[in-house]
Amino acid sequence: MKASSLYERTATFGGIYVFFMVNRSQMLYFVLVTPSKLVYPYMIWALIAVGILSQLNMILIAKWFSSDISTKGYQGFVQLFGKRTVRVLAFVGLFFIFAKIYVTTLGTVEVINHVIFPSMNPLWLILFLFGICLYAASRGMTNAIRFVVIAFFGSAWMILCFIPFFFPSMASLHDLYPLIPADWSTVSWKNLLFIWQAFSGPEYLVFIGPWLNQKQKMLKYLTFANTASVFEYLIMFVVSLLFFSSQYLNKSRFPVTDLIRYLQTPVFERIDIILICMQMFYYVWAISIYFLWFYGAIRIVSGRLNEQSNRIGFITCWIMILISMIILDKWFDESEQNPLMNLQIWLRAFTYLFIPTFLLIACKRKGII
């Protein structure tokens, strides 16, 4: 597993892979907690409005994918910003990527701890999850991109499990009112920010341009993926409102997971355990790609991108992230993790707004687009 093999482009991928990656990155973890944050029925319109705004980012990302410079990878960014600026941006990016790894991992572990292993020490779950992600990432970027097919088909079908909640006696239609707010508070503005960051994730896909087939028009696949994400969020939110109502929705930490617990089949008693295990596929996919981006950023910062290196560098990077995760988990107790979650919300919202716009402006200045 040499570093060169990790990022070796042995295949190019078409728009269907872009669809899978965008959709799964937008549904990552926050789909489980979003209903409890929105609470009010009129936030349905906010989901639709933010989804439309998110489509503007899809257009910007599509423009980036259509440019020749996106296929050059690191050299393309050097052409845009210069080598020194790219190293500075990579250094800053390490913090953003680590924050995504931190929140995604702890969020995933919290769900597993909440549903499947309530008595297990979360540190063992972190180590287990990191071990799986290390193996997946060690197969290289090409295989990590291929893995999104399993991640998508292993989890996207779960939306069908919520169909029974739309019908009586589990549903109460009056819980969808009022659809027009009587007032607009500061909490509502925070909810808009939360929705915006929930749609983030596709902005990091600008770094896999060299693995994509430039001949394909990516905009339609990006549009389909963003629309599918809006559709999934709407279903999750409406179902949660119908079942819990606005009065009790914010009492559940993971309303989507708690809904699954009410599903019954004649074969399996705890179908929620099966569904959470299936969701693990796309958590592993996402964290594995973050590992690869983090290690790639470290190589850029250290100026060793063109040097041959062995598996020791990648494993050292993995150990460094793992130790940092354990230290932070020990340092912050459960009551003090909310500030970190709030920080991640702001970081995700910032990157989703900044990265596509920044790249488009840089390309315009260079006359590339």
Side-chain angles (χ1 to χ4, degrees):
M1 187 192 66
K2 296 183 178 180
S4 58
S5 64
L6 287 178
Y7 306 99
E8 186 178 359
R9 295 185 291 273
T10 57
T12 56
F13 300 92
I16 189 64
Y17 282 89
V18 173
F19 170 84
F20 292 154
M21 288 186 287
V22 170
N23 177 253
R24 289 301 90 188
S25 63
Q26 288 183 322
M27 304 305 296
L28 186 64
Y29 172 63
F30 283 96
V31 68
L32 301 177
V33 299
T34 295
S36 65
K37 298 294 183 180
L38 303 186
V39 178
Y40 305 109
Y42 56 79
M43 295 308 293
I44 291 173
W45 305 114
L47 272 169
I48 297 173
V50 175
I52 294 173
L53 288 176
S54 177
Q55 179 58 29
L56 298 178
N57 264 4
M58 298 297 106
I59 295 173
L60 298 182
I61 294 173
K63 286 183 177 294
W64 167 258
F65 285 148
S66 66
S67 66
D68 293 333
I69 202 169
S70 68
T71 62
K72 298 179 181 178
Y74 168 74
Q75 295 302 329
F77 287 105
V78 171
Q79 183 179 337
L80 272 181
F81 307 112
K83 186 174 293 187
R84 180 176 298 179
T85 303
V86 169
R87 292 180 68 176
V88 172
L89 291 174
F91 179 77
V92 175
L94 287 172
F95 173 74
F96 286 90
I97 298 172
F98 175 78
K100 292 183 75 67
I101 295 174
Y102 176 81
V103 172
T104 304
T105 302
L106 285 192
T108 305
V109 166
E110 190 175 9
V111 172
I112 296 173
N113 205 212
H114 177 69
V115 178
I116 305 177
F117 302 113
S119 61
M120 181 177 287
N121 190 324
L123 293 180
W124 287 108
L125 294 175
I126 292 174
L127 183 61
F128 177 73
L129 180 60
F130 262 47
I132 297 175
C133 294
L134 173 65
Y135 173 79
S138 68
R139 312 310 297 173
M141 182 64 77
T142 300
N143 288 320
I145 294 174
R146 288 194 178 107
F147 185 54
V148 76
V149 178
I150 299 175
F152 180 84
F153 286 107
S155 57
W157 61 270
M158 294 181 192
I159 199 71
L160 300 176
C161 296
F162 296 93
I163 293 178
F165 294 103
F166 282 99
F167 303 100
S169 60
M170 305 185 81
S172 180
L173 188 60
H174 74 271
D175 287 326
L176 293 182
Y177 300 103
L179 288 175
I180 299 177
D183 58 354
W184 193 263
S185 63
T186 305
V187 176
S188 300
W189 289 109
K190 290 181 179 179
N191 289 342
L192 286 178
L193 178 68
F194 188 88
I195 297 172
W196 174 256
Q197 66 83 33
F199 281 97
S200 68
E203 71 273 18
Y204 286 92
L205 299 182
V206 299
F207 304 124
I208 64 169
W211 284 269
L212 301 182
N213 184 357
Q214 193 186 17
K215 294 180 180 180
Q216 280 195 307
K217 302 296 182 181
M218 296 298 179
L219 180 58
K220 64 179 179 180
Y221 297 100
L222 292 166
T223 301
F224 291 151
N226 187 68
T227 303
S229 299
V230 174
F231 182 71
E232 288 185 60
Y233 272 118
L234 283 173
I235 288 182
M236 299 291 190
F237 184 43
V238 170
V239 163
S240 300
L241 283 171
L242 291 174
F243 190 83
F244 292 104
S245 79
S246 297
Q247 287 75 21
Y248 298 102
L249 183 53
N250 61 351
K251 306 298 182 182
S252 175
R253 193 167 191 177
F254 302 107
V256 175
T257 303
D258 290 336
L259 275 172
I260 296 174
R261 289 184 167 186
Y262 287 91
L263 294 175
Q264 297 179 356
T265 66
V267 180
F268 300 105
E269 182 179 356
R270 291 293 307 275
I271 192 173
D272 55 328
I273 294 179
I274 298 174
L275 296 183
I276 291 298
C277 291
M278 295 297 290
Q279 281 184 318
M280 285 292 296
F281 282 117
Y282 79 88
Y283 294 140
V284 170
W285 165 76
I287 297 172
S288 301
I289 282 196
Y290 293 151
F291 280 159
L292 290 168
W293 283 332
F294 190 90
Y295 181 50
I298 284 182
R299 297 187 68 213
I300 292 173
V301 172
S302 61
R304 298 180 178 178
L305 191 66
N306 297 320
E307 294 183 11
Q308 188 76 14
S309 60
N310 53 35
R311 68 179 64 193
I312 295 178
F314 183 66
I315 295 178
T316 301
C317 172
W318 176 82
I319 293 174
M320 180 176 63
I321 298 174
L322 176 61
I323 292 175
S324 300
M325 287 282 302
I326 294 174
I327 292 175
L328 287 175
D329 187 62
K330 286 290 187 180
W331 183 268
F332 297 103
D333 59 32
E334 186 175 356
S335 62
E336 294 178 331
Q337 286 185 6
N338 283 333
L340 292 177
M341 291 296 295
N342 290 335
L343 176 61
Q344 171 64 354
I345 289 171
W346 282 97
L347 291 178
R348 287 169 62 98
F350 173 76
T351 57
Y352 196 39
L353 176 66
F354 177 76
I355 291 179
T357 306
F358 183 62
L359 287 177
L360 181 66
I361 293 174
C363 290
K364 287 285 188 182
R365 291 186 63 184
K366 291 287 185 177
I368 297 172
I369 296 180

